[in-house]
Amino acid sequence: MKTISLQSHWSESWKQSYSYDLIEMYGETSYRGYSYAYSHRYKHTLELVQKVTQPGAKILDVAAAQGNFSLTLAELGYEVTWNDLREELVDYVKLKWEYGTIHYKPGNVFTLGFAAEFDVILITEVIEHVAHPDLFLKKIAQMVKPGGHIVMSTPNGEYFQNRLPKFSDCPDPSQFEAIQFQPNSDGHIFLLHLDEIESIIHQAGLSIQETRIFTNPLTNGHLKLGKLLNFLAPSWVDACENFTQALPLVLRKKIHTGVAVLLTRIA
């Protein structure tokens, strides 16, 4: 993946995408907590994809934004389809392309005519931005081959600092339709709890193959720990993360901010 440089003539969406690339991929240290959290999500997502498929498999990356997962998976030998509502980001992603097979399909993923043609579909940090996460997952499941897989990541609704509602406690999710699909954390509508994830997964005709809970408050820079990250070696941060990963599940659900789930479509 090529490293690119900011250009003054870029559109605002490109400049915003570049600002995320700085802290996600290019080593910018102004927000170390975000960088650590992203690196963990990135690692777990790629590991789960590689766990169930070999290079050459067809992958759909939904709401793929600046394309970091798409580009990396293409370089690993997968046939990747990049998708995002923002068509103008296609050329931004192409600037970073170095090698590998990527197809660009911008637009609403549900109107692009995809059938059950993908071995793996990525929905990373997407489901918390939709008003009907249950219906969203059912539609995504229809695009993966029987026996194929979905890798989903989302913020952990059971994290002790979460103040957003549970999806299952909302009697009329349609009230949020006008504000769905907004990028960044300001666009979060619901943060799903693990029991809700299990419920909507089964409704969609999917089964859970693996669940990972990760990124504690130190790693993420929460609780005013962000400044401390400027003085801690990455090995210390990783050691703390490894320690909290070994805690009982009831504690891990409360002190970690991220969830990644590997799903299988029931044939």
Side-chain angles (χ1 to χ4, degrees):
M1 189 189 314
K2 293 179 182 176
T3 300
I4 60 177
S5 299
L6 178 66
Q7 303 296 317
S8 60
H9 64 272
W10 283 357
S11 67
E12 285 305 312
S13 64
W14 282 35
K15 290 177 180 178
Q16 184 179 49
S17 295
Y18 181 77
S19 71
Y20 279 99
D21 274 337
L22 283 175
I23 54 178
E24 292 174 356
M25 304 300 292
Y26 297 163
E28 168 63 49
T29 60
S30 60
Y31 193 174
R32 290 181 184 271
Y34 182 96
S35 299
Y36 278 121
Y38 183 85
S39 68
H40 284 142
R41 175 159 56 88
Y42 182 82
K43 176 179 75 74
H44 287 298
T45 299
L46 295 180
E47 285 180 355
L48 291 174
V49 171
Q50 293 176 293
K51 184 173 184 175
V52 294
T53 56
Q54 298 296 318
K58 295 180 67 175
I59 297 178
L60 172 64
D61 190 1
V62 177
Q66 62 266 34
N68 294 329
F69 290 99
S70 298
L71 293 164
T72 301
L73 288 166
E75 291 175 0
L76 289 171
Y78 296 95
E79 181 180 348
V80 182
T81 297
W82 174 98
N83 162 263
D84 199 276
L85 285 172
R86 296 163 291 180
E87 184 174 2
E88 73 274 11
L89 291 184
V90 169
D91 288 333
Y92 178 84
V93 178
K94 287 181 177 180
L95 283 179
K96 301 194 298 178
W97 178 87
E98 194 164 11
Y99 61 91
T101 302
I102 297 187
H103 310 287
Y104 297 92
K105 298 291 184 179
N108 185 331
V109 71
F110 300 129
T111 63
L112 294 176
F114 293 134
E117 57 190 277
F118 296 100
D119 299 293
V120 177
I121 297 179
L122 299 187
I123 46 172
T124 59
E125 310 302 288
V126 179
I127 201 166
E128 66 273 11
H129 295 270
V130 300
H132 302 278
D134 52 345
L135 300 180
F136 171 80
L137 195 57
K138 284 182 180 179
K139 291 181 178 179
I140 290 294
Q142 294 169 3
M143 301 179 195
V144 72
K145 297 175 182 178
H149 306 279
I150 297 170
V151 177
M152 178 179 77
S153 73
T154 187
N156 172 27
E158 295 179 64
Y159 177 54
F160 74 97
Q161 283 201 311
N162 173 39
R163 300 294 180 265
L164 288 176
K166 290 184 71 174
F167 170 65
S168 57
D169 288 341
C170 181
D172 182 21
S174 62
Q175 64 184 293
F176 298 107
E177 290 174 358
I179 61 170
Q180 65 181 342
F181 306 135
Q182 300 299 312
N184 309 326
S185 59
D186 291 340
H188 291 175
I189 298 174
F190 307 106
L191 294 191
L192 297 174
H193 292 222
L194 291 184
D195 60 339
E196 294 181 299
I197 292 174
E198 183 173 352
S199 175
I200 65 174
I201 283 170
H202 291 159
Q203 292 173 29
L206 302 163
S207 64
I208 300 175
Q209 187 166 334
E210 184 175 348
T211 300
R212 300 185 181 188
I213 310 170
F214 51 88
T215 306
N216 63 41
L218 173 64
T219 307
N220 208 42
H222 283 185
L223 304 179
K224 300 182 179 180
L225 295 173
K227 293 183 178 179
L228 183 60
L229 293 176
N230 294 325
F231 303 98
L232 290 177
S235 59
W236 283 79
V237 179
D238 290 341
C240 180
E241 179 76 13
N242 291 336
F243 171 77
T244 59
Q245 288 289 315
L247 293 173
L249 178 61
V250 65
L251 292 177
R252 285 190 282 128
K253 290 193 296 184
K254 291 298 182 183
I255 64 172
H256 291 92
T257 64
V259 176
V261 188
L262 175 61
L263 311 174
T264 303
R265 178 178 171 181
I266 301 171

